Each structure stands twice: as C-alpha cells, then as structure tokens.
C-alpha cells in the first residue's frame, strides 16, 4: 500500500502578521461567547444584577422566547446618573474593588462583564432611577445617548434582537418555545433561592409565571413545583445541629430532599446552591447520589433543593464566566457533608419512632431556629424563621394520602393525634394496651403469604413481608460490619457442595473478600467446596446457596475493580435477599409483630434494598 498523504494544516500561514490588541467591541463579543449562549443566559445575568441591587420584585418580559426582546425590571437601588455609562464598560463593577474582595465575594456578580457582553451582541438600553433623583435616565448602549425618562426607583434593562450582529450564533438558537422554557428555568433557579423576592414572567404580553414573595420557604417551593414536592420531601437543616454542637465554620446544608417514592424518570428537579448561587457540581451530585443509592431503584432520579453554606473564602466561584461551576478548597468535606445530611434525613424512621413517643425532636431538624443563611451582607438568602416549614406543617392533611407517607411522617402524625380518627365512633380492640404507641400498629393477619396486615391509629397498614425483612437483614448486616469484617459464626457441621470450575476459581481468588463477608469457604476436592462458617446475622440461611449467590456476584466483570465499600453493599444486599423471609412462608402473629417492631427500629425501612416501598398506609376514611 502506498503512503497515505498527510492532510493539509488547517490554516497555512502564508506570511507573518503583526501582533495587535483587539478592538474593545471585538473583545466584548469574544467574551459574550462565553457569557451569553442564549436568551436564558441574558435573563440569568440581568436577574443576578437585580438581586445584587436588593430588588424585592423582579419582572421579566419576553417576546419570541426572548430572542426578539428581553426586559428585566427591578425595584432595587438603581444606578447613579454619572455611573450609568460605566455600567456598560467591560470590567467595570461596583461589587469588588480588590483581590481580597474577590476572594470573599458574596454577590452574584463581580466580573463586571455581563452588561458589556450583552450590549455587544444585541440592541440594549438601560433605564434607571436612584432614590432622591427627580427622574430616571435612559442610556442607549449603541449610541451612548442619555435621555430623561419617567419611572420609579430601580432599573430596567431592555435587550432586543439578540445576536442580530452575529448571525452564526443566532442560527444555534432553538425554537421560541424551547428558548422560553430555558428562560423560565433561569428565573426558577433564582426564585427557589430567594423566596423573599417576588418574580413574574410575561411572554407575548401574557403572564405565564408568578411567584409572590413568601415569608416561608415551603410556600415558595410549593408555588414553583406544586404541593407534592414539599409533602413528599424531608427537610434538611444541618445548620441547627452544628449550631447546637457549638461547631463553627464548616459546611451547613439546608433544603428539601424528596423521599424515594417521589423520584422521577428525569433529573429535572435537582437544584443545588452554594452560598445562594445555583451551581452544577459533580462532586455534590455524587454525594447526593451516594446517599440515595441505598434507597432508590435503578435509574430513578431523586428530587431535591439543597443550599450549601460555606465560608466564601473556602470556595472559588471565579472558575467560569457563567459562575455555574465552583471549586472547593476541601471537596471531600463538602461531599461528605452532603452525603451525611441526606443520609440522615432519609434514614429518619429510627429517630422519628422516638419522636412518636414524645422523646425529642424528629430527625434533629429544627428549622425553628430559622434566620438567614448569610451569603451576602446585602442580600441574605432568607430562611423562614417561625418554624412553619418544620416537619409538622409539611404534612398538614394526613388522611387520604397513602402514597408518599413515610414511617417518618407517620410517627409525627402519631405523636400529634394518637387516636383522633375514630374518637367517639368505637373503641378499638387492642390486644396490647400500648399497641396505639406503635407507628406500624399491631399485626392482624397475613395475606396471600406475601403481605402482613396491621392496624394502627390511622387505619390499615399493608407490609410487603419479604421487602421489609430484606431491608432489616441488610441494615443488620451493614451494622455488624463494624470494623472491616462481618461477625462470622462457625458451622457445627461444614456444608459441602459440588462447584463449577468458575466457582472454584472465584472462591480461591476472592478468599479475602469472602472472609471479610463472614464466609469461610475452602476447596476440599477438585470440584467441591466446603463452607465452614457463615455470617452470624444469617445463621438460618442455607450455607451452600448463600455461597453460590455470593460467588455469582463476585464473578461479575468489573466487580473487583469497584470501590470495596460499594461492592460490599451489593454483596450484602444479595445476602440479605437470601436471608430474608421468602414468600409463602407462614408467619405467626408474634413473628409478624416482631417484624413490624424491627421495621420501626431500622433505618431506611420505608424501602427495600431495591428501592421498592415496604409498606403502605390506608386510612380509615379511604377504607
Ligand atoms: P457585575 O454584575 O459583575 O458587576 P455587570 O456587567 O452585570 O457586572 O454590571 C455592571 C454594574 O452595573 C454592576 O456592578 C452594578 O453596579 C450595575 N448594575 C447592573 N445592573 C444593575 C441593576 N439592575 N441595578 C443596579 N445596578 C446595576
Ligand atoms: Mg452582573
């Protein structure tokens, strides 16, 4: 074969050209390439500016999805007449003056390039009036012309014909409907962080979204996502705990984490803020994912809104012009804090069962402390202060909502109205006098060999026996994995079984893993394995079947290379499934009650290891 000719270099340099500084306009246009990708980027920057100016009400008006026109009006501090032309200059800002300011920056903006960039790719004008001024001023960005206008205190920025001067860019825009959706999403991100500010969005003269200023965070989330988001999530507030422990600095996490049942097919309701700024961060996303891993089924996407509070000096927001990426000085600390906070919130049954008996705070989330999450001296992210978002009012109407009720919630309801549903109707026949104190009630019967039916203060409880037991065994196994190994128990008589060549090989190569799992497995012939010990927590399991299923798990490609912990959890899950009560096994009432009490004590017992719910409440009303 003849030699393949090399392709020509993309830009043959014919002659040397002199070095020149680029004209200002072109520099701005280049910068605009990074900052302004589509109408939604303009909306984001203008709303950022309005919030930095202390606005209480922000109105966004769009034409053709923002492509033809974007107007953002605010009632903030305004821009002084002599500073108006400066606002449009590149690298001109009122938000920082020194490197020290930059390192501790707490405003949304600080780079001083948004208005300049937007002006370079659109027809822009700024109207503004400061308190005490006789009238407002309008600045035409293209001509630099200033003219008086009548308006209230505050600022409006009008951006028309985006990318009219850069047609190549304009071609990348999608349909108006798509661009509009992105614009609304940009406002939504701000609205979720600032419940104290009112937002409205108009498109083609029609009001399409309105989020009134709310003094309670849950009201804003309900307005944005609907009540279901709030009722199907648990509050997180590590700030209260850190405060109680006297911890200073560090990382605080507040927000709402959806219960596993509320998970969605798409990752479209996942919002993370660092010091009030919406960010996309793989580290944080991973921390969240890790916390949900244990309770979520397959590819389901959890829903959450998280506010991470951290000393501004320990996070670099100047990583990207759009500031959607951040860099933490100690990423591991943040990752762990996120994972722990969500883990604790989701594992609440244990804490809540205690709460039901009137002992202490459910899950330790005391939102009553409230106050402001300080992210900015000028514009704190306000957090409701009177406790209305605390656990109790999040679930105001217990009856008739069987889907998303968690053990967690049940215990709260229980604590509040122990026997209200049937007060004055009839006496409940209870075998044990304290049965009403059990959130999951007392067992009545087994149905189809699969379900336990129980009666509690709210009505009927239906428990998936295998799913529930599987979770209990799994959590028990995890707990018994105190150090690095699971407590093992020797078998009185070793069990032998005929093994395949692969099983033989795996048993030998994974001997250490098997020991760590509490299994003592050794070859006693060319095709025979002996089991000499198995986990104490699984004393009743069939040793041969247990070892076979673990070996099958260990054989899976890539398993050995995965993080040990993760692989072990998977293997533990396999073992738990194995050790859990099988379908069609008859249980006595005592066994059923024991299982219910175990569930109340076990973390994450609302879901089995595969993320399926383990129980359902059916209220008397529904019945
Ligand atoms: P940055 O926000 O990074 O400072 P911008 O180009 O977005 O840069 O804005 C430049 C300056 O214009 C800001 O620092 C601020 O002083 C002023 N400004 C912009 N928008 C507003 C507004 N809506 N209200 C008051 N001042 C504003
Ligand atoms: Mg700005």
């Amino acid at each position: 074969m003849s030699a393949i000719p090399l392709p020509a270099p993309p830009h043959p340099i014919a002659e040397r050209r002199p070095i020149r500084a680029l004209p200002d306009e072109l520099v701005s246009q280049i910068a605009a390439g990074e900052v302004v990708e589509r109408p939604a980027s303009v909306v984001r920057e203008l709303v950022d500016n309005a919030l930095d100016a202390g606005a209480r009400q922000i109105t966004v008006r769009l034409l053709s999805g923002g492509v033809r026109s974007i107007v953002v009006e605010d009632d903030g501090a305004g821009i002084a007449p002599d500073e108006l032309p400066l606002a449009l200059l590149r690298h001109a800002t009122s938000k920082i003056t020194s490197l020290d300011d930059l390192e501790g920056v707490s405003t949304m903006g600080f780079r001083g390039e948004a208005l300049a960039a937007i002006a370079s790719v659109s027809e822009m004008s700024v109207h503004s009036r400061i308190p005490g001024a006789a009238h407002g001023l309008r600045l035409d960005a293209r001509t630099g012309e200033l003219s008086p206008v009548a308006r209230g205190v505050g600022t409006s920025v009008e951006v028309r014909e985006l990318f009219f001067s850069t047609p190549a860019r304009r071609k990348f825009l999608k349909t108006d409907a798509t661009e509009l959706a992105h614009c609304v999403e940009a406002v939504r991100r701000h609205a979720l962080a600032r419940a104290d500010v009112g937002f409205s969005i108009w498109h083609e003269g029609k009001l399409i979204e309105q989020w009134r200023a709310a003094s309670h965070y849950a009201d804003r989330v309900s307005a944005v996502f609907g009540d279901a988001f709030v009722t199907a999530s648990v509050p997180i507030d590590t700030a209260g705990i850190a405060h109680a422990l006297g911890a200073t600095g560090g990382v605080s996490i507040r927000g709402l984490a959806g219960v596993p049942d509320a998970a969605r097919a798409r990752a479209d309701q996942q919002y993370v803020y660092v010091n009030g700024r919406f960010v996309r961060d793989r580290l944080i996303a991973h921390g969240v994912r890790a916390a949900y891993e244990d309770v979520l089924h397959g590819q389901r996407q959890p829903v959450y809104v998280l506010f991470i509070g951290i000393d501004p000096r320990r996070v670099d927001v100047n990583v990207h012009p759009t500031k959607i990426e951040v860099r933490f000085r100690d990423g591991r600390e943040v990752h762990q804090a996120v994972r722990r906070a969500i883990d604790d919130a989701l594992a609440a049954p244990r804490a809540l069962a205690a709460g039901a008996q009137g002992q202490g705070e459910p899950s330790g989330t005391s939102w009553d402390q409230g106050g402001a999450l300080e992210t900015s001296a000028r514009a704190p992210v306000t957090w409701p202060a009177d406790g209305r978002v605390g656990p109790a009012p999040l679930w105001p109407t217990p009856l008739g909502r069987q889907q998303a009720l968690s053990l967690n919630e049940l215990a709260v309801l229980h604590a509040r109205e122990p026997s209200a549903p049937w007060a004055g109707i009839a006496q409940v026949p209870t075998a044990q006098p304290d049965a009403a104190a059990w959130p999951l009630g007392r067992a009545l019967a087994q149905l189809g060999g699969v379900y336990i039916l129980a009666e509690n203060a709210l009505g009927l409880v239906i428990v998936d026996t295998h799913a529930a037991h599987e979770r209990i065994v799994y959590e028990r196994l995890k707990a018994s994995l105190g150090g690095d190994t699971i407590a093992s128990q020797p078998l009185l008589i070793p069990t032998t079984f005929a093994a395949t060549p692969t099983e033989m090989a795996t048993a030998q190569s994974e001997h250490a893993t098997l020991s760590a799992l509490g299994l003592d497995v050794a070859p006693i012939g060319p095709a025979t394995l002996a089991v000499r010990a198995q986990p104490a927590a699984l004393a009743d399991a069939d040793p041969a079947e247990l070892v076979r299923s673990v070996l099958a798990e260990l054989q899976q490609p890539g398993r050995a290379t995965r993080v040990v912990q993760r692989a072990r959890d998977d293997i533990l899950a396999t073992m738990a499934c194995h050790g859990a009560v099988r379908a069609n096994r008859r249980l006595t009432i005592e066994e059923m009650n024991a299982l219910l009490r175990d569930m109340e004590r076990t973390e994450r017992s609302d879901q089995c290891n595969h993320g399926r719910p383990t129980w359902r409440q059916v209220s008397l009303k529904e019945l």
Side-chain angles (χ1 to χ4, degrees):
M1 253 194 136
S2 63
I4 300 165
L6 284 172
H11 300 294
I13 298 166
E15 64 199 79
R16 200 190 67 80
R17 294 190 200 164
I19 300 173
R20 288 203 188 94
L22 293 175
D24 231 47
E25 171 84 357
L26 185 51
V27 176
S28 288
Q29 282 170 337
I30 290 170
E34 289 179 309
V35 183
V36 188
E37 186 195 345
R38 58 187 347 156
S41 336
V42 174
V43 171
R44 183 196 60 225
E45 291 295 338
L46 298 182
V47 175
D48 267 358
N49 283 346
L51 289 172
D52 282 344
R56 314 302 304 169
Q57 178 65 44
I58 298 174
T59 305
V60 179
R61 298 179 197 279
L62 306 163
L63 294 179
S64 303
V67 181
R68 251 177 60 217
S69 167
I70 299 167
V71 179
V72 175
E73 300 167 12
D74 69 54
D75 57 357
I79 307 172
D82 54 331
E83 290 176 19
L84 206 45
L86 290 176
L88 305 191
L89 279 188
R90 211 151 28 82
H91 308 312
T93 179
S94 58
K95 298 169 193 176
I96 56 170
T97 54
S98 66
L99 180 63
D100 200 47
D101 285 353
L102 173 64
E103 285 173 352
V105 72
S106 57
T107 46
M108 294 291 172
F110 57 84
R111 298 171 60 105
E113 59 187 11
L115 292 186
I118 296 166
S120 74
V121 290
S122 70
E123 307 233 2
M124 186 170 97
S125 67
V126 182
H127 303 220
S128 195
R129 178 174 164 191
I130 56 169
H135 54 76
L137 274 181
R138 173 184 189 273
L139 171 66
D140 184 319
R142 196 163 44 84
T143 61
E145 206 174 295
L146 278 169
S147 47
V149 288
R151 62 155 297 134
V153 170
T155 305
S156 325
V157 179
E158 181 177 11
V159 175
R160 296 180 43 183
E161 304 299 338
L162 189 63
F163 300 139
F164 77 97
S165 57
T166 48
R169 196 85 193 202
R170 193 155 184 158
K171 286 206 195 88
F172 280 100
L173 295 179
K174 303 278 192 295
T175 63
D176 288 358
T178 301
E179 295 304 334
L180 174 64
H182 284 284
C183 290
V184 172
E185 174 64 14
V187 183
R188 188 180 291 125
R189 288 174 183 175
H190 284 104
L192 282 171
R194 293 296 302 270
D196 58 323
V197 176
F199 293 85
S200 51
I201 310 174
W202 297 74
H203 187 240
E204 304 287 347
K206 282 203 283 286
L207 182 66
I208 57 166
E209 284 290 1
Q210 182 163 39
W211 300 307
R212 293 178 200 287
S215 42
H216 306 299
Y217 186 68
D219 292 344
R220 171 54 58 85
V221 178
S222 289
V224 173
F225 290 130
D227 293 341
F229 188 104
V230 179
T231 48
S233 37
V234 281
I236 297 175
D237 184 0
T238 66
I241 298 168
H243 185 74
L245 294 174
T248 49
V251 182
S252 75
I253 296 166
R254 284 178 143 164
L256 291 171
V259 299
D261 266 12
R264 299 161 66 84
R266 295 194 318 137
D268 57 350
Q269 292 186 358
Q270 303 179 341
Y271 292 79
V272 175
Y273 298 80
V274 172
N275 292 346
R277 189 191 304 282
F278 178 88
V279 299
R280 286 220 179 281
D281 186 82
R282 289 181 56 183
L283 193 85
I284 296 172
H286 184 270
V288 176
R289 192 79 221 169
Y292 273 100
E293 193 152 59
D294 232 13
V295 287
L296 214 54
H297 180 57
Q299 298 304 308
R300 302 285 293 167
Q301 294 289 343
V303 305
Y304 51 85
V305 183
L306 296 180
F307 297 97
I308 297 170
I310 185 167
D311 178 350
R313 293 181 186 278
R314 299 176 63 193
V315 54
D316 185 358
V317 290
N318 188 25
V319 178
H320 191 269
T322 64
K323 295 166 244 138
I324 197 165
E325 284 169 36
V326 291
R327 205 175 287 135
F328 296 105
R329 196 185 287 177
D330 186 350
R332 226 187 43 179
E333 172 194 46
V334 176
H335 181 271
Q336 278 176 354
V338 167
R339 182 178 180 163
R340 172 94 46 85
I342 296 184
D343 220 28
D344 287 352
L346 295 177
R350 169 179 285 171
L352 261 289
Q357 284 144 29
Q359 302 160 352
E361 282 280 297
S363 72
T365 52
S366 57
W367 281 26
D368 315 345
Q369 317 245 330
L373 187 66
E374 284 295 326
T375 61
S376 152
R378 273 196 235 168
V381 171
T382 55
W383 204 260
D386 70 354
R388 236 190 89 194
V389 247
L394 286 181
W395 305 291
T397 50
L399 302 177
R401 195 170 56 75
Q402 66 172 55
Q403 282 303 315
L405 204 63
S406 72
L407 246 177
N408 189 328
E409 296 162 298
L410 182 59
V412 172
L413 295 174
H414 221 274
R416 295 164 82 217
E417 35 182 345
S419 60
W422 54 75
I425 300 174
Q427 265 305 317
V428 195
T430 45
Q432 295 90 348
D434 58 345
W438 296 329
L440 290 175
R442 84 193 160 87
L444 299 174
Q446 202 178 4
L447 185 68
V450 178
Y451 300 103
I452 293 172
L453 304 183
E455 173 185 37
N456 69 355
L458 296 174
L460 180 69
V461 173
I462 305 171
V463 174
D464 179 333
T465 316
H466 177 72
H469 195 227
E470 201 177 359
R471 167 63 73 177
I472 292 167
V473 174
Y474 177 47
E475 294 294 333
R476 203 181 284 154
L477 282 170
K478 281 205 297 189
S480 73
L481 194 87
D484 246 357
T485 54
I486 293 181
S488 178
Q489 183 175 308
L491 298 175
L492 285 177
I493 308 155
T495 303
T496 60
F497 65 94
T500 64
T502 325
E503 284 172 338
M504 293 300 293
T506 312
Q508 277 172 296
S509 63
E510 298 293 333
H511 188 260
T513 315
L514 289 167
S515 313
L517 292 168
L519 288 165
D520 179 355
V521 183
I524 54 159
T528 312
L529 287 172
V531 189
R532 298 208 196 91
Q534 70 184 24
L538 291 179
D540 297 335
D542 176 334
E545 270 185 48
L546 181 62
V547 169
R548 278 213 182 94
S549 57
V550 172
L551 288 176
E553 192 78 24
L554 288 172
Q555 278 159 22
Q556 281 179 28
R559 180 70 22 125
T561 60
R562 288 171 63 184
V563 189
V564 177
Q565 170 70 48
R566 177 79 184 88
R568 205 163 45 194
D569 280 357
D570 280 1
I571 292 165
L572 291 183
T574 303
M575 293 168 86
C577 181
H578 202 84
V581 181
R582 294 275 137 203
N584 293 322
R585 207 193 112 200
R586 288 277 148 211
L587 297 175
T588 64
I589 292 285
E590 285 70 36
E591 285 178 313
M592 292 183 219
N593 275 319
L595 183 83
L596 296 179
R597 301 295 81 77
D598 269 349
M599 284 174 72
E600 286 158 6
R601 279 193 298 267
T602 303
E603 294 196 333
R604 287 173 278 273
S605 61
D606 295 330
Q607 286 80 32
C608 80
N609 305 340
H610 315 291
R612 285 190 301 272
T614 55
W615 66 280
R616 286 281 187 242
Q617 174 80 54
V618 185
S619 71
L620 286 177
K621 212 179 192 172
E622 284 166 298
L623 285 171

